[in-house]
Amino acid sequence: MDPGSNGESPGSRQPSLDSLCSSSTSRSDRSLQTRGQSISSEQTSNSDLSPQLRIKGKPAKLFRDSEKDDIELLPKEVVQEVGKDVTYICPFVGALRGTLTVTNFRLFFRGVGRDPAFVLDLPLGVISRVEKISGASSRGDVSYVLVCKDVRTLRFVHKQPDDSLQKSVFEVLTKFAFPVSNTLSLFAFEYNQVFPENGWKVYDALAEYKRQGLPNESWRITKVNDHYELCDSYPAALVVPVTITDDELRRVATFRAKGRIPVLSWLHPESQAAVVRCSQPMSGVGGKRCKDDEKLLQAIMDANAQSHKLFIFDARPSVNAAANKMKGGGCESEDAYQNAELVFLDIHNIHVMRESLRKLKEVVYPNIEESHWLSNLESTHWLEHIKLILAGALRIADKVESGKTSVVVHCSDGWDRTAQLTSLSLIMLDSHYRTISGFQKLIEKEWISFGHRFQQRVGHGDQNHTDADRSPIFLQFIDCVWQMTQQFPAAFEFNESFLITVLDHLYSCLFGTFLCNSEQQRVKEELAKRTVSLWSFVNSQVDEFINPLYVHYPAHVLLPSVSIRHLQLWVSYYIRWNPRVRPQQPVHQRYKELLAKRAELQKRVEELQREVASRASASSERAGSPTRSITPVQTFV
Amino acid sequence: MLSLGGGGAKSTKPSFVSYVTPEEIKSEKEPPKKERHPDLLPGEVIFCSADPVLKHTQDDLSQRGIFGTLLCTNFRVSFVSDETPLEDMTQHFKNKLYGENDIPLMCVDNIYGVYDEKKKLMTKGMLKNKCPSKMIIHCKDLRVFQFCLTYTKEEDAKKIFQGIAHHCLEPKSLKCVFAFSYAVSRSPEVQRSQRTVMFNSKEDWTQEMKRTKANLRIVTENENFEFSMRLPKFFIIPAAVTDEDISKFPGKGLPVWCWSHHSGCALFKASTLPVPQEDGLMQGYMERMLHAVAHTHLYSLKLEDLSETLPTVQDIQQSYNKFKQFFLIDNSTDFWVSDVKWFSSLENTGWLDIIRQCLQKAVEVVECLEKENTNVLITEEEGTDLCCVISSLVQIMLDPHFRTLTGFQGLVQKEWVAGCHAFLDRCNHLYQKDKECQSPSPVFLLFLECVWQLIQQHSPAFQFSETYLTVLSDSIHVPIFSTFLFNSAYQRESTMKAESQHLQRGPLNCPAVWDWSVQFDCKAQELFINPLYADKLKQDKVIRKVPRAKHQRQLSLPSSAFKTPPKKGFFKDETESLKKMLRVKRISRWMASPDSPAAATREFYEAWQRRPLDYHGLLLPCLDGPAVRLWMQRYLRWIPEVQILGGGSVAITSKLAELLSQVQDLRRELDLRSCWETEAESLQLRPGPLALARTSLRLSSSFPFASNRNWTFKPAIPTSLLQSLMVTDKLASQEDETNEVISLV
């Protein structure tokens, strides 16, 4: 790989970005342009899993213009094995023979005998499990099923190598798909591309707190967790009420599950109502109490002069909260916390969510049963879960905004449902989080720094696909955000393509952003030094991800409708592999055209003004030439 | 569920919070005793009124209300609030005929009386019953009104209740429809220049033939309906049909032309012949008709009996009846309860599936015309229900002219109004209860639903907006327009003639629905235009020179248009097989796999999908499960729980409109600098209402409907969270953190 090409300026990079009809994500925005080429849309949609290719400037363009069959390797990417005469059983177009290449980063399949070539290109990180089914046919063929994290399953048939010592391409694949299980390192640690933007600088906890006006007379930033001694899954910088000492915090930590004490997430700029997050109290069956915890919650309430009440939102169904008492956990009793009102939000746990996504995949991939589509969709409960999460976040946002009341949010450990609820309610409350950079900060803050266990929930590079810790919690959050973008099409600076890109790289293991379980681990692994941030990539070509309809209304609180009537299945994510289902968003396309048209006309008006200024007489002579270049707006290109 | 309102007249303390207590009303209201009524339309007469009546606001569970006067006129049920109306600055979309608190009588769907907290459906037999404490009115445009009568004097309450029930539930005669009183009293206006082709003259039909380059025979013998009362005044048939055959089974079984493809093949529709006769007379006739159709182009023919493959009008009615119940929401609790099983409830109504089937059928017909270039004849018992749906859809998919506003209106005129769709019976405007003689069925609405699906999927291809469709669907139930009042062209003409005879002033001035200025001012009408529409450059000219050639060539599939159809000497085979089919008296569908008709056209759709999309060419809908969607604007617009404040598509529309007008301004500026040859193309641009952009934050997703309601800023929070999701799985009770290893197999 030529490192020289990395330092391209964004301007010269642009054409190549467009020419590579890469991300699935951009299918929606550019479907009109790409439709012509997408003879097999499986091919388009799969070539798209290589957004990383887009950043390469000139070589990428050449690659596009010439042939699509060669892999454009990333820096440090090495071909490990090439399997000839492999058949891919495509559920949409049927069996395709071709060549399968495995690198330390990706799986690349190129079909033969089709024009244009059929290409399947995906990062190994999305593979959740590889299953070998032998004996399917008498001719010694071996069939491999690749179950992917991005809601698809790939099936290959391959001849058993005659030489039994020779490794099959799939054995190599299995090794590199699960580097952690095979004592290899994740590709993110090899990959060393240089981007103009440095994504690791996007989020700085102190700067973000400063934006919120913190510290102030009621809240201070404590260093008690500087070395992750108080809580190993929390960030170093924590915001707590000024009236609570570090010693008191240490005692609170013993009372909250995993030491995740109540700390501030967000402060309302006017009412001073706070969103506070934590884990469940360890009250247990006996209803144990902790004076310091009670004092802390009282202090949180006192920090907001507007209200003499505190709402504690327990994300769990009350039954589950009660069941947790048997294990030492539980919820706040109203005796101990007198001015607090406890509300259960009935959101189910990670296992229920995992099962729901599994059912959803069954319903949408590969084929959709038309006549029972709606009841099948309902039976997955996926949208029902989305509804509950959104409804919970809505209640939190409403209490903070309209009730001017501070809220405490927790579930069991405070890193799954709590992260979903706080981040979603923050998006509703604070328009900053609806910008591209603000959204990145939100993810860095509420998810990454506050210890959402990405490594466990996604299982990067781990072949133990039955691990009960895996769960699509973050996917659910992004889905909820998408639902909001549908309801408020002009309120978000980013587009759908951005959300899908984030999800694709949640699994790709190309960037360090979603690796590890906590800030402590990230510091230890020196992720910022050894890996590239997803935001480096995103911010270096931010134009791709801009929602052209975005209007910035600073103080606009979004109150989405959480009725299931308004929730839709995110077709362009969950069903994107199906060539028949097309994304339905010509609006952005049309809008971009109009923007271009406006810019063009504006330029011409300015030109003319200059001309008029320079030579006042002969403006009529120039009538002929420019007219041609401009087509009326309404002509659809 | 219905705990709203007091139980009876006895209850002195109301169980709801109202702005004024009943005592206050008495003291306030009695002295002035001013007659309150809405601004009456020409010819409108008040039958009865009652006051004070409490109209419940639906907004939330607080069960507040507004006091006012409830009236019943010969046009509407109207509620006039005692409060001075607030300054509506957001009301962009005022209907000139009826306001937010008015219900045209024809628009009343059902009336319920609430007796001791129990809701009972009112039928005409129950009118003598005692007056209910509350009256709930469900409207055909899906509004729900709740009027509490407990504060009204008992005899007034009884009078208004019986009056409303009488005028809304009793069968009436066509002559009593308000349109006639209105037309008589309406000041004679100069007929506006009608841009919509009405298809009531020979010229309109010959023009349409010319436009589609059809070369067929126009029949003028029916001008005075001497020949058939179920056919238009003028119609077009295959050139090969003889005079003798035209009058054989007056109108029945006659293939009537709908539209011609540029390749020369054409779409025809026909009613089926009356009773099968054994003498072979009919069989011979039918065969001659098929010959004649096949003769039109390359001796090819595909025949489809829609009544065999599509739901019946009764099925459609049943399905819609179930479907609409989910949008007629009385209170918030009901709403959240129905939210739980929403998708399966929706599926059980079958409504979306009927839409899918119609679109599917239309795609099949399109494939025959576009890919195989065969003539198509669709038949149905009357030939005026599903034939209209399918033929209209086919034309919209194939011919971009019908995706413009006037083109679409012309299509409705051609296929539905002139084409004798029985609007009067199907819409049941006269409240006939005898199910034997007619079957009400929302066939036209079904068609609009299908068009909405197309708009939803390909919005830049349509000049009109979904708001236009919604308003059109509402206008069906406004008894002002001649468009939806009659069963046939004959009935229209004869009724109008009879009614006009009483007048000295000349013929009745009954507007068509297409005269939108009757309902909306210019500003509101701007919302009918889709700002996304991608107009074709100098489209009119292109069409005048080479009628519709261009767009269709561009998208026709490689095998079509230029080549002759695959089978040569095809005619013989076809008639042989046709004869065979006729012998067994079964004209079956032609598609190969009857069990999954979707699979049959899949290839066609996929081939089309691979080609670059041309919004002025062939348009096909995606029919996969998630692609067929609920028409949210129409069905959810009045339900407060689903309003998205500051969101919804209005946010997009306003931005687009803003940008469009900026582009237009720039272009105008260039025009002024005289270096721009525009040929008035820029004048075609019609940006939407600009004021929207500034207020869009305060508009809700129900815009432009219900926009002048004061939505509470409170978010709608589900009231039944716990019941909503019963995960009985053992997963639910499992620990989140599974460090203590739980094996899950």
Side-chain angles (χ1 to χ4, degrees):
Chain A
M1 195 54 320
D2 174 19
S5 65
N6 299 335
E8 292 270 329
S9 74
S12 63
R13 189 178 300 112
Q14 212 45 51
S16 67
L17 301 180
D18 273 353
S19 60
L20 258 179
C21 57
S22 37
S23 117
S24 42
T25 60
S26 50
R27 272 178 76 193
S28 55
D29 276 345
R30 272 186 283 129
S31 58
L32 303 168
Q33 286 165 24
T34 52
R35 274 195 50 175
Q37 290 114 36
S38 58
I39 294 302
S40 151
S41 53
E42 171 92 354
Q43 167 248 316
T44 3
S45 43
N46 286 318
S47 65
D48 65 48
L49 259 223
S50 51
Q52 61 280 7
L53 290 181
R54 289 186 281 170
I55 51 187
K56 278 189 295 180
K58 277 171 193 159
K61 186 169 188 180
L62 287 174
F63 155 74
R64 160 62 185 224
D65 288 345
S66 56
E67 279 258 89
K68 246 189 161 173
D69 51 348
D70 293 327
I71 315 177
E72 193 69 8
L73 294 177
L74 292 169
K76 301 283 184 179
E77 187 181 357
V78 182
V79 173
Q80 304 293 335
E81 184 68 54
V82 178
K84 295 230 180 327
D85 206 13
V86 174
T87 306
Y88 167 55
I89 316 285
C90 174
F92 307 110
V93 296
L96 293 151
R97 274 185 50 223
T99 308
L100 183 73
T101 310
V102 174
T103 74
N104 51 349
F105 170 65
R106 85 181 76 196
L107 175 159
F108 187 89
F109 173 83
R110 181 175 188 270
V112 288
R114 269 189 174 245
D115 189 45
F118 179 93
V119 170
L120 195 63
D121 182 358
L122 62 149
L124 294 174
V126 305
I127 297 170
S128 153
R129 87 176 188 248
V130 179
E131 226 173 277
K132 181 177 170 185
I133 303 165
S134 49
S137 92
S138 53
R139 292 169 298 155
D141 287 352
V142 192
S143 160
Y144 286 91
V145 174
L146 273 53
V147 181
C148 299
K149 294 167 183 171
D150 58 0
V151 207
R152 60 175 156 169
T153 300
L154 309 171
R155 186 164 279 123
F156 292 95
V157 179
H158 178 47
K159 265 207 167 43
Q160 190 77 290
D162 302 332
D163 180 4
S164 56
L165 290 176
Q166 192 198 333
K167 265 192 180 168
S168 143
V169 64
F170 287 97
E171 285 165 56
V172 177
L173 182 142
T174 311
K175 185 175 153 200
F176 284 94
F178 307 115
V180 172
S181 308
N182 291 292
T183 59
L184 294 167
S185 69
L186 291 167
F187 182 70
F189 291 103
E190 315 274 324
Y191 179 63
N192 63 352
Q193 188 144 18
V194 180
F195 290 91
E197 300 288 329
N198 183 355
W200 292 120
K201 293 215 163 85
V202 162
Y203 173 68
D204 171 27
L206 295 182
E208 169 57 20
Y209 288 129
K210 198 174 169 206
R211 187 187 70 85
Q212 295 180 25
L214 295 164
N216 63 12
E217 66 280 1
S218 313
W219 298 89
R220 67 182 180 101
I221 295 173
T222 173
K223 285 185 190 299
V224 69
N225 201 34
D226 239 9
H227 302 289
Y228 310 105
E229 285 157 340
L230 180 86
C231 170
D232 59 5
S233 59
Y234 258 11
L238 296 173
V239 180
V240 293
V242 282
T243 49
I244 304 294
T245 66
D246 285 355
D247 280 336
E248 282 167 323
L249 292 177
R250 283 190 195 96
R251 287 198 292 275
V252 173
T254 60
F255 183 64
R256 290 279 167 180
K258 312 279 194 299
R260 295 172 67 91
I261 59 168
V263 294
L264 182 120
S265 252
W266 187 78
L267 190 64
H268 194 288
E270 280 150 28
S271 72
Q272 300 289 303
V275 177
V276 172
R277 62 180 290 172
C278 58
S279 62
Q280 64 179 339
M282 301 303 284
S283 50
V285 192
K288 214 165 58 183
R289 289 173 61 165
C290 170
K291 278 273 164 291
D292 300 286
D293 192 68
E294 286 159 31
K295 185 182 171 194
L296 175 55
L297 260 57
Q298 183 65 37
I300 289 165
M301 195 181 77
D302 293 342
N304 171 19
Q306 304 253 12
S307 172
H308 301 291
K309 212 170 174 190
L310 183 72
F311 275 89
I312 301 174
F313 286 99
D314 189 326
R316 303 166 292 185
S318 57
V319 202
N320 293 37
N324 259 293
K325 286 185 184 160
M326 308 303 289
K327 295 151 194 157
C331 52
E332 291 81 357
S333 70
E334 299 201 348
D335 300 339
Y337 303 86
Q338 289 205 333
N339 295 312
E341 189 175 325
L342 184 64
V343 180
F344 293 100
L345 296 176
D346 299 321
I347 301 169
H348 282 282
N349 66 24
I350 60 167
H351 313 293
V352 175
M353 302 309 186
R354 179 179 60 238
E355 179 62 11
S356 174
L357 182 66
R358 190 191 63 73
K359 284 188 194 151
L360 181 67
K361 185 177 170 181
E362 274 178 9
V363 170
V364 300
Y365 189 91
N367 290 310
I368 298 163
E369 197 197 336
E370 238 158 58
S371 47
H372 298 295
W373 160 247
L374 288 174
S375 51
N376 285 344
L377 178 64
E378 185 175 279
S379 70
T380 70
H381 294 299
W382 183 256
L383 287 176
E384 194 80 22
H385 293 306
I386 297 283
K387 168 183 162 177
L388 285 168
I389 295 166
L390 274 171
L394 179 68
R395 295 175 79 169
I396 293 168
D398 179 49
K399 277 285 169 282
V400 172
E401 179 64 27
S402 324
K404 297 181 167 57
T405 313
S406 293
V407 297
V408 173
V409 186
H410 71 73
C411 48
S412 295
D413 293 314
W415 51 45
D416 291 314
R417 286 168 277 198
T418 303
Q420 289 176 330
L421 289 168
T422 55
S423 51
L424 285 169
S425 53
L426 262 47
I427 288 174
M428 293 173 195
L429 289 164
D430 189 340
S431 62
H432 177 64
Y433 297 125
R434 307 195 282 260
T435 64
I436 289 186
S437 70
F439 189 72
Q440 292 171 3
K441 284 182 214 166
L442 184 75
I443 290 178
E444 287 281 350
K445 177 170 174 291
E446 289 301 308
W447 291 85
I448 296 170
S449 83
F450 272 97
H452 173 68
R453 307 176 79 74
F454 279 104
Q455 173 65 42
Q456 275 194 348
R457 296 290 177 255
V458 180
H460 296 302
D462 188 342
Q463 68 183 14
N464 181 16
H465 62 86
T466 55
D467 188 351
D469 274 332
R470 292 199 187 174
S471 189
I473 300 300
F474 187 72
L475 165 65
Q476 245 176 353
F477 160 67
I478 296 288
D479 193 331
C480 289
V481 175
W482 179 83
Q483 301 286 352
M484 284 175 72
T485 65
Q486 294 303 293
Q487 296 193 15
F488 301 95
F492 290 83
E493 194 193 7
F494 47 84
N495 58 17
E496 185 179 60
S497 160
F498 173 72
L499 294 178
I500 297 181
T501 304
V502 169
L503 285 179
D504 281 344
H505 289 294
L506 172 65
Y507 307 123
S508 76
C509 295
L510 182 64
F511 299 107
T513 303
F514 297 119
L515 303 185
C516 299
N517 286 325
S518 66
E519 189 175 294
Q520 186 194 30
Q521 286 178 12
R522 280 181 200 97
V523 171
K524 203 175 132 221
E525 293 283 338
E526 296 178 296
L527 281 186
K529 228 159 94 189
R530 293 170 60 208
T531 67
V532 179
S533 163
L534 169 60
W535 315 128
S536 304
F537 161 68
V538 166
N539 294 342
S540 298
Q541 51 170 86
V542 79
D543 286 353
E544 282 278 286
F545 303 115
I546 295 273
N547 168 16
L549 297 166
Y550 176 61
V551 190
H552 181 67
Y553 293 116
H556 185 204
V557 175
L558 302 186
L559 299 175
S561 165
V562 297
S563 163
I564 202 115
R565 291 152 165 91
H566 265 306
L567 303 182
Q568 315 164 35
L569 185 73
W570 187 4
V571 168
S572 35
Y573 181 74
Y574 299 105
I575 319 189
R576 59 177 162 160
W577 313 119
N578 187 329
R580 288 175 57 79
V581 175
R582 282 195 304 134
Q584 305 173 349
Q585 281 205 323
V587 180
H588 290 199
Q589 179 65 27
R590 170 84 170 134
Y591 195 81
K592 277 184 181 164
E593 277 169 28
L594 283 173
L595 281 176
K597 184 61 60 188
R598 184 180 66 179
E600 184 189 325
L601 290 168
Q602 245 158 6
K603 212 176 115 205
R604 282 195 34 75
V605 168
E606 280 160 22
E607 268 171 28
L608 281 167
Q609 276 165 344
R610 251 178 279 129
E611 263 174 47
V612 169
S614 59
R615 24 179 199 140
S617 56
S619 64
S620 58
E621 275 178 90
R622 307 192 45 82
S625 56
T627 338
R628 306 192 59 136
S629 62
I630 293 152
T631 46
V633 214
Q634 287 178 303
T635 311
F636 195 82
V637 194
Chain B
M1 237 177 269
L2 284 161
S3 56
L4 318 181
K10 280 184 287 181
S11 68
T12 46
K13 200 177 163 224
S15 62
F16 48 81
V17 187
S18 66
Y19 297 137
V20 258
T21 62
E23 290 73 29
E24 275 176 304
I25 297 163
K26 276 198 183 126
S27 56
E28 267 177 34
K29 290 301 161 220
E30 265 168 68
K33 198 71 188 176
K34 198 185 141 227
E35 186 81 355
R36 286 173 181 277
H37 59 76
D39 298 331
L40 298 180
L41 295 175
E44 189 175 0
V45 183
I46 298 174
F47 290 144
C48 51
S49 70
D51 117 274
V53 170
L54 181 78
K55 175 180 166 283
H56 285 289
T57 46
Q58 215 188 331
D59 293 14
D60 53 348
L61 276 177
S62 64
Q63 299 160 23
R64 284 173 306 164
I66 306 164
F67 283 101
T69 312
L70 187 64
L71 306 97
C72 180
T73 75
N74 55 345
F75 167 58
R76 64 185 134 185
V77 174
S78 181
F79 176 82
V80 182
S81 165
D82 287 345
E83 291 171 34
T84 41
L86 297 163
E87 191 69 43
D88 300 316
M89 54 178 302
T90 48
Q91 199 170 358
H92 295 276
F93 203 63
K94 198 168 146 51
N95 193 311
K96 293 192 211 165
L97 297 176
Y98 61 98
E100 197 199 9
N101 287 326
D102 296 336
I103 316 160
L105 295 182
M106 263 189 194
C107 189
V108 173
D109 195 16
N110 277 314
I111 299 176
Y112 295 88
V114 177
Y115 296 95
D116 305 325
E117 321 263 303
K118 271 187 210 129
K119 189 172 138 184
K120 273 189 199 153
L121 177 67
M122 293 288 118
T123 53
K124 55 180 170 174
M126 293 163 82
L127 287 186
K128 297 280 181 289
N129 286 13
K130 77 168 190 166
C131 186
S133 59
K134 197 160 91 176
M135 177 164 59
I136 302 176
I137 301 180
H138 287 182
C139 304
K140 287 179 177 166
D141 60 9
L142 303 157
R143 288 180 295 171
V144 175
F145 288 89
Q146 303 194 15
F147 298 111
C148 176
L149 301 173
T150 32
Y151 304 101
T152 323
K153 257 187 268 165
E154 208 175 317
E155 99 201 57
D156 281 357
K158 197 166 178 182
K159 224 162 70 188
I160 191 80
F161 171 69
Q162 290 187 347
I164 291 173
H166 172 81
H167 291 289
C168 296
L169 301 175
E170 297 280 326
K172 55 168 123 180
S173 73
L174 182 56
K175 272 187 287 185
C176 297
V177 170
F178 179 67
F180 300 109
S181 329
Y182 176 75
V184 167
S185 319
R186 192 174 173 231
S187 52
E189 278 175 57
V190 191
Q191 193 70 33
R192 261 161 246 274
S193 63
Q194 281 280 3
R195 291 177 303 151
T196 302
V197 185
M198 301 299 275
F199 289 94
N200 53 8
S201 70
K202 194 183 164 190
E203 288 68 43
D204 289 350
W205 286 98
T206 45
Q207 194 59 40
E208 178 71 358
M209 261 211 288
K210 217 184 263 173
R211 194 183 70 81
T212 59
K213 277 187 162 171
N215 187 19
L216 299 159
R217 171 179 174 184
I218 180 159
V219 179
T220 53
E221 285 87 343
N222 203 34
E223 195 169 355
N224 297 315
F225 306 103
E226 288 153 346
F227 161 64
S228 167
M229 292 190 289
R230 290 293 302 152
L231 280 174
K233 283 168 80 130
F234 306 97
F235 53 90
I236 295 164
I237 54 173
V241 178
T242 62
D243 281 345
E244 190 195 334
D245 274 337
I246 293 180
S247 48
K248 192 154 271 168
F249 297 97
K252 287 277 175 192
L254 195 61
V256 177
W257 174 79
C258 300
W259 183 79
S260 282
H261 188 254
H262 61 84
S263 67
C265 61
L267 173 66
F268 296 89
K269 60 182 175 186
S271 52
T272 43
L273 286 170
V275 200
Q277 295 163 23
E278 294 304 317
D279 55 6
L281 186 72
M282 221 183 65
Q283 203 174 310
Y285 173 80
M286 199 59 209
E287 243 170 74
R288 282 197 301 284
M289 290 302 112
L290 295 177
H291 270 271
V293 171
H295 244 294
T296 307
H297 177 70
L298 292 168
Y299 309 115
S300 58
L301 170 66
K302 297 272 167 129
L303 188 63
E304 173 75 349
D305 187 352
L306 297 178
S307 51
E308 279 185 21
T309 50
L310 288 178
T312 63
V313 287
Q314 289 83 3
D315 295 341
I316 293 167
Q317 168 76 354
Q318 263 177 19
S319 169
Y320 183 70
N321 270 345
K322 278 192 246 162
F323 178 74
K324 74 180 177 198
Q325 293 310 326
F326 290 100
F327 308 98
L328 295 162
I329 306 282
D330 289 340
N331 60 57
S332 197
T333 318
D334 284 1
F335 175 85
W336 289 112
V337 167
S338 63
D339 211 44
V340 175
K341 288 276 167 201
W342 177 246
F343 290 113
S344 50
S345 316
L346 213 56
E347 184 179 289
N348 287 337
T349 68
W351 182 245
L352 291 178
D353 202 50
I354 291 177
I355 294 169
R356 191 198 319 274
Q357 288 179 49
C358 289
L359 285 165
Q360 173 66 34
K361 187 59 64 188
V363 172
E364 288 170 16
V365 175
V366 167
E367 186 179 4
C368 291
L369 292 163
E370 172 77 12
K371 192 176 159 195
E372 294 159 29
N373 293 155
T374 53
N375 298 298
V376 177
L377 173 62
I378 49 177
T379 63
E380 187 194 9
E381 195 186 336
E382 280 292 323
T384 53
D385 289 306
L386 287 161
C387 275
C388 296
V389 175
I390 301 302
S391 76
S392 312
L393 288 175
V394 167
Q395 293 174 60
I396 289 173
M397 289 179 198
L398 280 165
D399 191 338
H401 170 67
F402 296 123
R403 296 175 218 147
T404 64
L405 185 75
T406 48
F408 177 78
Q409 296 184 162
L411 180 70
V412 175
Q413 281 294 133
K414 179 169 82 162
E415 293 297 325
W416 296 82
V417 181
C420 299
H421 172 68
F423 280 109
L424 187 66
D425 288 349
R426 293 292 179 245
C427 303
N428 198 15
H429 286 321
L430 305 179
Y431 314 104
Q432 306 293 336
K433 293 288 172 188
D434 310 313
K435 276 168 188 146
E436 296 303 311
C437 60
Q438 54 138 15
S439 39
S441 181
V443 180
F444 185 65
L445 178 65
L446 174 64
F447 163 64
L448 296 182
E449 282 261 18
C450 293
V451 177
W452 182 84
Q453 301 291 343
L454 286 166
I455 289 191
Q456 174 69 16
Q457 294 189 18
H458 307 287
S459 72
F462 289 85
Q463 193 192 20
F464 48 91
S465 63
E466 70 164 335
T467 303
Y468 169 80
L469 284 185
T470 307
V471 167
L472 184 57
S473 75
D474 289 345
S475 306
I476 301 170
H477 311 292
V478 181
I480 296 279
F481 309 109
S482 59
T483 313
F484 305 120
L485 269 188
F486 304 101
N487 280 333
S488 64
Y490 163 74
Q491 191 185 23
R492 177 184 337 273
E493 200 134 296
S494 56
T495 313
M496 291 302 237
K497 211 172 272 173
E499 292 299 310
S500 298
Q501 274 167 3
H502 309 303
L503 291 171
Q504 303 96 328
R505 275 197 303 186
L508 271 182
N509 184 13
C510 206
V513 71
W514 317 127
D515 192 353
W516 290 109
S517 61
V518 172
Q519 290 191 74
F520 300 99
D521 60 21
C522 297
K523 221 176 124 212
Q525 282 183 53
E526 283 171 355
L527 290 167
F528 292 171
I529 301 295
N530 171 18
L532 277 175
Y533 180 55
D535 203 351
K536 199 145 197 165
L537 172 59
K538 294 171 199 163
Q539 195 189 18
D540 297 334
K541 275 190 179 171
V542 173
I543 280 190
R544 228 173 294 136
K545 280 179 194 160
V546 240
R548 2 161 268 109
K550 205 172 178 184
H551 61 269
Q552 298 209 342
R553 283 277 156 75
Q554 280 168 355
L555 263 180
S556 57
L557 298 167
S559 61
S560 71
F562 302 103
K563 286 188 200 164
T564 41
K567 286 185 227 162
K568 274 220 166 186
F570 175 64
F571 178 47
K572 223 177 195 174
D573 299 350
E574 194 73 350
T575 35
E576 280 308 313
S577 60
L578 277 175
K579 274 180 193 164
K580 240 178 250 166
M581 277 193 278
L582 282 167
R583 224 158 277 144
V584 290
K585 297 209 169 62
R586 187 158 158 267
I587 303 159
S588 77
R589 75 190 86 174
W590 64 78
M591 284 305 160
S593 45
D595 45 358
S596 75
T601 49
R602 182 158 287 198
E603 205 182 314
F604 178 59
Y605 175 79
E606 280 173 1
W608 171 80
Q609 199 194 16
R610 271 183 235 126
R611 312 182 74 79
L613 181 57
D614 175 7
Y615 286 119
H616 295 277
L618 173 66
L619 216 58
L620 293 180
C622 177
L623 298 175
D624 281 329
V628 177
R629 296 168 65 180
L630 174 73
W631 185 356
M632 304 252 261
Q633 187 191 51
R634 177 175 152 81
Y635 292 105
L636 299 184
R637 59 194 156 147
W638 312 113
I639 305 174
E641 282 81 2
V642 283
Q643 300 317 319
I644 308 166
L645 195 79
S649 59
V650 63
I652 297 178
T653 318
S654 57
K655 277 222 76 178
L656 271 168
E658 189 188 347
L659 193 57
L660 262 173
S661 82
Q662 284 171 358
V663 169
Q664 207 180 11
D665 287 350
L666 283 168
R667 184 169 291 143
R668 206 171 288 135
E669 195 168 339
L670 288 169
D671 279 350
L672 285 176
R673 290 172 197 271
S674 76
C675 64
W676 188 271
E677 292 171 35
T678 51
E679 305 206 356
E681 73 199 14
S682 57
L683 296 177
Q684 291 171 11
L685 272 177
R686 288 179 58 184
L690 259 184
L692 283 187
R694 267 160 265 139
T695 51
S696 70
L697 255 191
R698 295 170 48 216
L699 301 175
S700 86
S701 57
S702 69
F703 181 86
F705 304 95
S707 58
N708 54 347
R709 295 198 181 182
N710 297 318
W711 298 119
T712 41
F713 278 72
K714 275 185 65 138
I717 289 167
T719 50
S720 53
L721 280 180
L722 249 183
Q723 348 162 348
S724 63
L725 188 57
M726 290 309 196
V727 178
T728 46
D729 247 284
K730 65 171 185 229
L731 285 177
S733 53
Q734 202 172 313
E735 257 300 273
D736 273 8
E737 202 49 33
T738 39
N739 289 335
E740 54 268 28
V741 186
I742 292 174
S743 64
L744 258 180
V745 188

